[in-house]
Amino acid sequence: MGNRGSTPLTSCGIPLAESNLPTNYCAHALPGTSNLDKWRSVIATGPNSLLAIRRSPRGQIVHVQTSIEDKMPTSVVTLVAESPEGSEDLNHGLALHDGYLYASSSTTVYRWRYTPGTETSPPKVGDIETVIVNVSKGAGTTLGAPGGHTTRTLALDESGRLYVSVGSKENVDDDSFRSRIRRFELPDQNSTSAISRAITLPIEFETGEVFADGLRNEVGLAFDSFGILWGVENGPDNLKRKDLGGDIHNNNPAEELNRFTEETAGEHWG
């Protein structure tokens, strides 16, 4: 909301006293309402609009339009009212790419055809499509994705490939089968590749390429302007060492910021 070393910008809404930002950047809080709580992922769709996924009730996806003058919400429209009947709730993953809106539950990745809105009308979504299934399917009898971390982080690269992150089952797993980012080629009827044109939905989760392995819970994913994928990893809890002062999980190991390049694809990160 404010400029560093200057008077807060008058068009940035309600000032945040703790904000410390470069010139011409602002930060402001949206007031909580019945439609503006329990958010997980947020996507900015313009200077005065955003998409957000809510964990309750039943994994809604909402579009929020704000005022140009004070940045306060002028409309909140529910695009997806609830998760598909009989399925797990949408709970975290949200991505927008090439005319599609993607979202995830603990078991499944879905998408909807997305039509952008305007200053006076909200966006629209089409019929639901199932993209990835059996994300929670086990491997053997003890491993796999049931239980544990339930969020599934989503990202898509410039080529339209989908990245899905799954976190560990326990605080620290003995095996990394769960703790990975998998990459998926999606169908593209306009592609020059016969393989891309031949892909059909839905895709089995375990058939995805292991793009990065050994990641406890890569709960945030984003591509930079160079097309490099970055991840924010939640490290282990309840790490205690009497000789180091007791609970050390906040600083040793620290939470990780990881940079995933194409050259490191398939590598194990610990």
Side-chain angles (χ1 to χ4, degrees):
M1 190 125 26
N3 289 340
R4 181 180 295 165
S6 66
T7 304
L9 296 175
T10 57
S11 63
C12 277
I14 301 172
L16 292 176
E18 66 272 23
S19 63
N20 185 15
L21 301 167
T23 301
N24 294 325
Y25 282 81
C26 66
H28 62 92
L30 294 175
T33 72
S34 60
N35 288 328
L36 293 175
D37 58 2
K38 299 181 181 179
W39 288 9
R40 291 294 296 189
S41 295
V42 177
I43 300 173
T45 55
N48 301 297
S49 61
L50 59 87
L51 292 166
I53 189 168
R54 304 175 60 209
R55 296 192 73 163
S56 176
R58 290 230 64 195
Q60 292 183 347
I61 301 176
V62 298
H63 176 266
V64 181
Q65 189 75 34
T66 62
S67 165
I68 296 176
E69 290 75 23
D70 61 11
K71 304 300 180 183
M72 293 299 98
T74 56
S75 72
V76 179
V77 177
T78 300
L79 299 182
V80 178
E82 62 180 17
S83 303
E85 185 176 356
S87 72
E88 295 288 331
D89 290 353
L90 302 178
N91 64 10
H92 178 75
L94 191 66
L96 192 60
H97 180 80
D98 197 24
Y100 282 99
L101 177 63
Y102 294 78
S104 63
S105 69
S106 63
T107 63
T108 312
V109 179
Y110 303 99
R111 73 179 183 180
W112 298 259
R113 179 65 73 178
Y114 179 83
T115 303
T118 66
E119 289 290 334
T120 57
S121 63
K124 298 178 181 179
V125 295
D127 294 334
I128 191 170
E129 267 188 284
T130 301
V131 181
I132 308 292
V133 295
N134 293 324
V135 179
S136 60
K137 182 179 178 181
T141 57
T142 60
L143 302 176
H149 291 101
T150 59
T151 58
R152 314 295 183 227
T153 312
L154 309 178
L156 290 102
D157 62 21
E158 292 181 349
S159 298
R161 293 175 295 186
L162 173 63
Y163 298 71
V164 182
S165 172
V166 174
S168 62
K169 181 177 183 181
E170 307 294 342
N171 185 35
V172 178
D173 287 352
D174 293 330
D175 187 280
S176 67
F177 181 84
R178 281 181 56 108
S179 308
R180 296 171 172 173
I181 299 172
R182 290 184 182 264
R183 179 164 67 181
F184 300 85
E185 297 276 354
L186 299 181
D188 182 0
Q189 299 306 314
N190 297 319
S191 174
T192 57
S193 167
I195 295 177
S196 295
R197 295 196 303 272
I199 296 172
T200 58
L201 298 180
I203 300 170
E204 283 286 336
F205 178 70
E206 288 187 33
T207 65
E209 171 195 0
V210 177
F211 178 73
D213 199 0
L215 301 164
R216 179 182 178 273
N217 189 23
E218 216 70 12
V219 76
L221 293 175
F223 283 93
D224 64 20
S225 59
F226 299 99
I228 303 299
L229 182 64
W230 292 76
V232 180
E233 183 172 345
N234 287 354
D237 300 315
N238 304 319
L239 297 181
K240 297 180 180 180
R241 285 274 300 272
K242 290 183 178 179
D243 58 328
L244 295 177
D247 188 341
I248 63 171
H249 82 275
N250 282 328
N251 299 310
N252 186 16
E255 311 287 50
E256 295 180 357
L257 176 64
N258 295 316
R259 182 176 183 267
F260 305 108
T261 65
E262 195 60 39
E263 290 73 25
T264 62
E267 290 188 4
H268 198 287
W269 290 72

